[in-house]
Amino acid sequence: MHDDSDNQAEDIWARLKPKEPLPSQCCGSGCNPCIFDTYQKDFEKWTRAKARGDPSLITGNSQQKKQLVTLSPDSFSAFQLESIEVLTEDTNLYKFKLPTGGGLALGLGQHLVLRGVVDGLELQRAYTPISPVNSAGYCEFLIKLYKDGLMSQYIRTWKPGDFIEWRGPFGGFPYKSDKYRQLLLIASGTGIAPMVPLLQAITDDEEDETFVKLVCCFRNYKCVYMKDFLQEQSHFWNVTTYFVLSEEESPEHLPWSYRDKTHLGRLDFELVDTLHHYDIIPPGVKCGGILSAPNGNVSSPNFPGLYPYNTECSWLIVVAEGSSVLLTFHHFELEYHADCAYDYIKIYNGISEDEGNLLGKFCGDICPPQFTSSWNVMSIIFRSDRHVAHRGFLVGYRKDMCGGVLTGLSGIISSPGYPVEYSNNADCSWTVHVSNRTVVSLVFLDFQLENNEGCNFDFVALFDGPTVTHRHLGNYCGSNRPPNTVTTSNQLLVVFKSDFNIGGRGFKAYYYSGECQQVLTAIRVNFTSPHYPNIYPNNINCHWTINLETGYRIKLFFTSMELEDRNSLTDECDYDSVSVHDGSSEADPLLGRWCGSDQPPTLLSKANKLLVILNTDRNSAYKGFSASYTGVVPVNVSCTRTEFQIQISQQSLPQLERESVYLGSPSCFAQMTPTVYKIQARFVNCGTAGQKRRNITVLVNTLYIDFSDRKQRNVQEYEVQCDAQRKVASVSLITVEERNRLNELARRAEEADVGTSVEEESEPHDTSDIVFISICVLAVILMVIAIVWLVLL
């Protein structure tokens, strides 16, 4: 009898034991934990329950299952089936009742995993609820039943009132209101399930202006389910529904409301491309193209009537090589927004695919200025949104061999055909127009015109403004390069004229805006490439000239570098690059040239000048660079066996109080003579300490020079050290990075010195011994002299 009860108990535990899943039973959605993870946890739960002899630790009771509300990816929760609605011959809508009327709090697009058993085989499959994410008291699933599907066999056994087990949630779509301008949703059959909650969330949010195109693929019209829902959603202004019916024979079988938005046939890439652009460029609108004539006009669609909504147009203007493109706006009227976020036009100095070519973005009713490209290509992009239309724009373009309006941060101005001899009777005018917050610099690189007294035949004339009525800066001719010119405003006019005979090589000049041509004179400055950390413009040549007082040296650091990569064929920085010259011109020695993500080393000038140049080409722009420099004060340091001697010229530290220069602590400040700041400090004072450097004990301290003012703290630190035995001293600037490194070295040295003797820890004691011995020797010498003197007496 006892054996029978034991056998019966074993049969019960054998039935309760979870079955190990087959590889084919994986839900296939990449969910985590997978069915195999769940099996492992169920097996561990079964083992613990069997050890305690309590089957309820596995099964619980029906009342407990009914109360399960909280979802978990690791364990199953049971929900009661409330109703089954037949939608098509093979697809049903299943509605589940949630205990206590609560909600599942699912995210958009999240799915649950269903568990079922068929002929003793456990199955798991993933399904996405189509009920709104904020629904309470219920959830709904759209499920298609397959003739030979194992899970479909299990689902066919469902009856209202049954409890069905689910776990989750998994997956999801990271959507935020207005995150995307447009969504193209393509669904086949029940693949629409994850899109239903997303579509409902967008249309329920009155502030969400995301434009949605929903493409639904079915075999025929009878197979289309949720017709009322889809019809209701298509009434929203920002939702368009489109149907692809693969087996429908004729549109005559369709309701009138479906005929103009249904494609008969299968979905292919060509149709997807058409649907993607549908409603962005309305049918019948002629928009964009490649323009290669030497001159012409570009206008918004339907000009001078109102332009259409949801339109995007792109024009590429290409003229003869060696020429430039001149744009002139004749009419401009778009919807206004402070950041031009609605309707706008963009002008590019080259192709529009590279934002580094962007010259400007415009909207409202103020005409953009004239633009001249720096080469033979220019692009125009026009875009309108879903609301508010105006008359649009009309802009003329022409090929321009000579002259134009230049708006970039920097650029080149050269005579026609340079360096080949310029033509006779030339009449060219360039207007340089830069940001309102800066000025224009002009530097001539080469200059050779007909020479004559008064420069009345061939000449270059400069004006401090956009017209010849502004202040005349000078007329230049001959072979002497004109001086560097800086305007007092943000515009400069350059005029070139030649007469009927005798020419020359012509000229080539760089112009710079103040953002692209800076002379830095402060002791410490941070500077960056234009627009950093946004991408820098293409086709610029920017100069930063660091010019400090005589005697200074310059320490330069690059904290960030992200430029176009090297040429893969030459492995050189042939495209975009940063170069540094040890002086004030490109003729001075080159310290290095970098591109890509190369991190330049710390650079130290030999004198008081450095030149940093950023050069970019016409394609591919990146974040650029961030750099800083510090002027290294010329400090003269020497030492004896007992003290430091420090001198700094007063010319290097103008208007600093003596208390601003100190060694170790503010109490050890400098004395002032008529010409220098002077510090004479014994090693036993001012915090001087001994350190091991390359197995040699040296005496080390820190010299502070305080340049701080009321606005900003600015203290330079210099490490001074002395090899007392050899009487050799040195000094070096301490940067923030070096300060951190020295602190780390000091910490390690302090740890290494634990357990050593007091004599080894403090070098100043050693110098005291030297002083004591010196005094004793001096006393002996004096005593000998006294004895000799007495003998002589």
Side-chain angles (χ1 to χ4, degrees), residues 82-148:
E82 184 175 348
S83 64
I84 303 174
E85 180 183 355
V86 178
L87 301 181
T88 66
E89 61 182 4
D90 59 3
T91 304
N92 299 332
L93 180 65
Y94 297 88
K95 184 176 182 179
F96 289 85
K97 182 179 179 181
L98 300 179
T100 69
L104 295 179
L106 297 179
L108 290 173
Q110 287 193 308
H111 62 267
L112 304 181
V113 172
L114 167 68
R115 176 163 69 177
V117 178
V118 176
D119 297 331
L121 179 66
E122 182 177 304
L123 308 170
Q124 295 192 28
R125 291 291 182 270
Y127 297 94
T128 303
I130 65 168
S131 46
V133 293
N134 58 354
S135 60
Y138 76 98
C139 66
E140 295 177 314
F141 292 85
L142 185 68
I143 300 179
K144 182 176 181 178
L145 303 177
Y146 295 88
K147 181 178 179 180
D148 298 321

Side-chain angles (χ1 to χ4, degrees), residues 256-302:
W256 282 103
S257 60
Y258 280 74
R259 293 185 183 182
D260 63 344
K261 56 181 182 181
T262 299
H263 171 78
L264 302 184
R266 303 188 69 84
L267 185 70
D268 55 25
F269 287 107
E270 183 178 354
L271 179 58
V272 170
D273 187 65
T274 301
L275 293 172
H276 175 63
H277 290 90
Y278 183 81
D279 283 335
I280 293 296
I281 302 176
V285 174
K286 186 177 181 180
C287 183
I290 299 176
L291 309 175
S292 57
N295 57 73
N297 292 313
V298 174
S299 64
S300 51
N302 201 39

Side-chain angles (χ1 to χ4, degrees), residues 450-636:
E450 179 185 1
N451 190 23
N452 65 96
E453 188 175 352
C455 295
N456 296 317
F457 303 149
D458 298 353
F459 63 87
V460 169
L462 306 179
F463 298 87
D464 193 2
T467 69
V468 294
T469 62
H470 287 79
R471 184 168 65 95
H472 184 213
L473 299 175
N475 276 24
Y476 305 97
C477 60
S479 57
N480 293 326
R481 282 190 297 173
N484 294 350
T485 300
V486 180
T487 64
T488 59
S489 68
N490 66 325
Q491 296 188 69
L492 169 71
L493 176 63
V494 180
V495 176
F496 169 62
K497 290 188 177 183
S498 64
D499 64 3
F500 59 89
N501 66 356
I502 307 178
R505 187 171 61 247
F507 68 89
K508 179 180 180 181
Y510 267 125
Y511 77 85
Y512 304 88
S513 78
E515 301 169 79
C516 202
Q517 173 84 343
Q518 298 184 44
V519 177
L520 308 173
T521 58
I523 294 296
R524 177 186 295 174
V525 171
N526 299 325
F527 62 98
T528 65
S529 53
H531 305 167
Y532 182 88
N534 299 318
I535 62 174
Y536 51 77
N538 285 331
N539 206 43
I540 60 172
N541 184 280
C542 295
H543 289 202
W544 292 265
T545 302
I546 306 171
N547 192 352
L548 302 185
E549 296 287 340
T550 302
Y552 275 81
R553 298 175 73 185
I554 302 164
K555 204 163 190 176
L556 178 66
F557 318 86
F558 285 89
T559 55
S560 174
M561 177 77 75
E562 188 177 332
L563 307 181
E564 187 176 2
D565 284 332
R566 294 173 179 270
N567 185 332
S568 59
L569 297 178
T570 65
D571 197 35
E572 299 292 337
C573 296
D574 296 329
Y575 307 135
D576 299 351
S577 65
V578 169
S579 55
V580 180
H581 293 265
D582 196 359
S584 58
S585 75
E586 296 181 57
D588 289 313
L590 179 67
L591 296 180
R593 192 171 182 222
W594 300 273
C595 57
S597 57
D598 296 344
Q599 189 68 30
T602 298
L603 302 173
L604 182 64
S605 67
K606 291 183 178 179
N608 61 322
K609 295 180 180 179
L610 272 183
L611 175 62
V612 180
I613 301 175
L614 170 64
N615 192 70
T616 70
D617 64 5
R618 297 172 179 173
N619 303 303
S620 301
Y622 294 84
K623 285 176 59 176
F625 71 86
S626 173
S628 63
Y629 75 84
T630 298
V632 181
V633 177
V635 179
N636 183 5

Side-chain angles (χ1 to χ4, degrees), residues 212-497:
V212 181
K213 173 168 285 295
L214 176 62
V215 182
C216 306
C217 303
F218 298 96
R219 293 198 307 274
N220 51 53
Y221 175 71
K222 291 183 179 179
C223 294
V224 178
Y225 34 73
M226 303 180 67
K227 293 185 178 71
D228 292 340
F229 170 80
L230 296 176
Q231 188 73 10
E232 175 188 349
Q233 292 296 309
S234 66
H235 290 159
F236 286 89
W237 66 269
N238 58 333
V239 176
T240 302
T241 54
Y242 200 86
F243 296 91
V244 179
L245 305 180
S246 60
E247 297 178 5
E248 193 69 57
E249 297 179 356
S250 170
E252 297 177 359
H253 301 149
L254 303 176
W256 282 103
S257 60
Y258 280 74
R259 293 185 183 182
D260 63 344
K261 56 181 182 181
T262 299
H263 171 78
L264 302 184
R266 303 188 69 84
L267 185 70
D268 55 25
F269 287 107
E270 183 178 354
L271 179 58
V272 170
D273 187 65
T274 301
L275 293 172
H276 175 63
H277 290 90
Y278 183 81
D279 283 335
I280 293 296
I281 302 176
V285 174
K286 186 177 181 180
C287 183
I290 299 176
L291 309 175
S292 57
N295 57 73
N297 292 313
V298 174
S299 64
S300 51
N302 201 39
F303 182 84
L306 302 182
Y307 52 77
Y309 301 129
N310 295 310
T311 302
E312 183 173 344
C313 310
S314 175
W315 292 271
L316 180 66
I317 303 171
V318 183
V319 296
E321 188 74 33
S323 306
S324 58
V325 181
L326 174 65
L327 287 185
T328 304
F329 281 85
H330 304 300
H331 183 84
F332 193 81
E333 186 183 344
L334 305 183
E335 180 185 5
Y336 174 77
H337 180 265
D339 299 320
C340 294
Y342 304 147
D343 302 349
Y344 60 81
I345 190 171
K346 285 184 174 182
I347 309 297
Y348 290 87
N349 182 26
I351 58 175
S352 60
E353 283 77 6
D354 194 337
E355 284 298 310
N357 291 328
L358 181 65
L359 293 175
K361 181 180 181 183
F362 306 94
C363 61
D365 58 4
I366 299 177
C367 257
Q370 281 187 319
F371 286 99
T372 301
S373 65
S374 59
W375 54 311
N376 65 316
V377 178
M378 184 169 270
S379 299
I380 303 174
I381 303 294
F382 167 65
R383 176 172 288 177
S384 65
D385 66 359
R386 296 179 288 272
H387 310 284
V388 186
H390 292 276
R391 292 180 60 193
F393 65 90
L394 174 65
V395 58
Y397 77 89
R398 67 178 173 87
K399 179 180 72 173
D400 201 351
M401 289 288 293
C402 179
V405 179
L406 307 173
T407 57
L409 291 180
S410 71
I412 297 175
I413 300 175
S414 60
S415 53
Y418 175 87
V420 178
E421 183 173 315
Y422 54 81
S423 58
N424 293 330
N425 298 310
D427 188 354
C428 309
S429 296
W430 293 268
T431 301
V432 182
H433 190 164
V434 298
S435 167
N436 292 333
R437 301 183 302 273
T438 185
V439 295
V440 183
S441 299
L442 186 69
V443 178
F444 283 87
L445 306 178
D446 189 20
F447 195 86
Q448 187 190 53
L449 274 59
E450 179 185 1
N451 190 23
N452 65 96
E453 188 175 352
C455 295
N456 296 317
F457 303 149
D458 298 353
F459 63 87
V460 169
L462 306 179
F463 298 87
D464 193 2
T467 69
V468 294
T469 62
H470 287 79
R471 184 168 65 95
H472 184 213
L473 299 175
N475 276 24
Y476 305 97
C477 60
S479 57
N480 293 326
R481 282 190 297 173
N484 294 350
T485 300
V486 180
T487 64
T488 59
S489 68
N490 66 325
Q491 296 188 69
L492 169 71
L493 176 63
V494 180
V495 176
F496 169 62
K497 290 188 177 183

Side-chain angles (χ1 to χ4, degrees), residues 626-648:
S626 173
S628 63
Y629 75 84
T630 298
V632 181
V633 177
V635 179
N636 183 5
V637 178
S638 61
C639 69
T640 67
R641 293 183 181 274
T642 59
E643 67 180 14
F644 278 119
Q645 296 173 354
I646 301 171
Q647 293 188 6
I648 306 172

